[in-house]
Amino acid sequence: AQTVTQSQPEMSVQEAETVTLSCTYDTSESDYYLFWYKQPPSRQMILVIRQEAYKQQNATENRFSVNFQKAAKSFSLKISDSQLGDAAMYFCAYITGTYKYIFGTGTRLKVLA
Amino acid sequence: EAQVTQNPRYLITVTGKKLTVTCSQNMNHEYMSWYRQDPGLGLRQIYYSMNVEVTDKGDVPEGYKVSRKEKRNFPLILESPSPNQTSLYFCASSFRDGVDTQYFGPGTRLTVL
């Protein structure tokens, strides 16, 4: 069965610094998608970044980038130049086929001024 | 405005009293999905729908029913709620399938006494 593991329940980062959130997953499939979602205190879920497994190039969205290591089944999120507005819960997710989602347990990110 | 709406936003009910949480999207999306969020467990998918009259189970379907009679609506039905269904529920939709960007509703906080 596919699983997604986020081993860091909580992380802190100083404003303007860089932080990396970890995610590992387990699957026997060769083609799949991985996601990072952000949930600020408003509870609204927002897609941060998406990675296709067959693409070797790591996805990037402005200050957010991923380090995708397919062989190691690792999918970490790097946030550069952290801002106060980055404070949120971050969920790593995997989709099996194109319909069934599996989320990790989340990492709460605190940004210190 | 493109959006996913859920009603009610908050609900307190008693064990065994049937309830329905509505979900509606105005973006003509084919894919819709229900999740529950619990502390320490992240989001877990309950049911998803690929199109009208096509639904399938997620990871935690027990105790829930869904229907998709119209493209825009995807209600979640709890026929006999129990306290272990106390949770925060999210509905989401995306254009074609789960790989596309999911747009989440604002969430429904359900308490079953």
Side-chain angles (χ1 to χ4, degrees):
Chain A
Q2 291 89 355
T3 58
V4 175
T5 302
Q6 294 180 251
S7 59
Q8 307 153 316
E10 192 170 290
M11 295 277 287
S12 296
V13 63
Q14 207 69 35
E15 200 175 3
E17 297 294 311
T18 296
V19 65
T20 298
L21 309 184
S22 300
C23 173
T24 59
Y25 59 95
D26 189 24
T27 182
S28 57
E29 298 176 341
S30 58
D31 192 18
Y32 46 88
Y33 287 79
L34 295 159
F35 307 82
W36 279 98
Y37 278 88
K38 172 185 177 181
Q39 186 181 44
S42 66
R43 300 190 326 202
Q44 185 67 41
M45 294 285 291
I46 304 162
L47 176 66
V48 174
I49 203 162
R50 169 176 41 223
Q51 174 79 42
E52 301 172 69
Y54 67 85
K55 286 190 176 180
Q56 294 186 342
Q57 186 173 5
N58 290 327
T60 299
E61 288 288 341
N62 302 313
R63 297 182 295 106
F64 297 85
S65 62
V66 298
N67 183 6
F68 175 48
Q69 301 288 331
K70 191 174 183 179
K73 296 180 182 176
S74 171
F75 182 60
S76 58
L77 176 69
K78 185 172 84 170
I79 306 174
S80 304
D81 185 26
S82 297
Q83 301 174 359
L84 294 177
D86 295 334
M89 281 288 286
Y90 287 83
F91 293 98
C92 178
Y94 165 101
I95 190 162
T96 170
T98 53
Y99 298 112
K100 193 169 180 179
Y101 262 90
I102 299 169
F103 280 80
T105 53
T107 296
R108 182 174 302 281
L109 178 66
K110 295 183 177 180
V111 181
L112 307 173
Chain B
E1 180 191 353
Q3 60 183 347
V4 178
T5 57
Q6 294 179 228
N7 282 293
R9 296 288 308 280
Y10 300 89
L11 178 61
I12 301 174
T13 189
V14 296
T15 299
K17 186 176 181 182
K18 181 178 179 179
L19 66 93
T20 299
V21 183
T22 64
C23 173
S24 183
Q25 49 92 6
N26 62 1
M27 296 169 278
N28 201 36
H29 285 173
E30 292 187 356
Y31 179 87
M32 297 187 74
S33 184
W34 275 103
Y35 301 91
R36 60 177 290 174
Q37 182 178 3
D38 302 289
L41 297 178
L43 277 81
R44 293 178 291 169
Q45 192 174 38
I46 303 171
Y47 271 96
Y48 58 91
S49 170
M50 297 80 96
N51 214 323
V52 175
E53 301 290 3
V54 184
T55 63
D56 206 350
K57 298 177 182 178
D59 265 352
V60 288
E62 296 78 19
Y64 304 94
K65 285 178 59 177
V66 293
S67 68
R68 186 98 181 269
K69 299 189 186 319
E70 305 166 281
K71 199 171 187 178
R72 64 184 295 130
N73 296 324
F74 190 44
L76 180 69
I77 303 158
L78 286 72
E79 297 215 325
S80 184
S82 62
N84 64 13
Q85 292 179 299
T86 293
S87 186
L88 176 60
Y89 291 86
F90 286 99
C91 179
S93 73
S94 58
F95 177 65
R96 182 187 56 209
D97 56 33
V99 173
D100 295 325
T101 300
Q102 284 196 97
Y103 295 86
F104 281 78
T108 295
R109 172 73 69 184
L110 172 65
T111 301
V112 183
L113 302 174

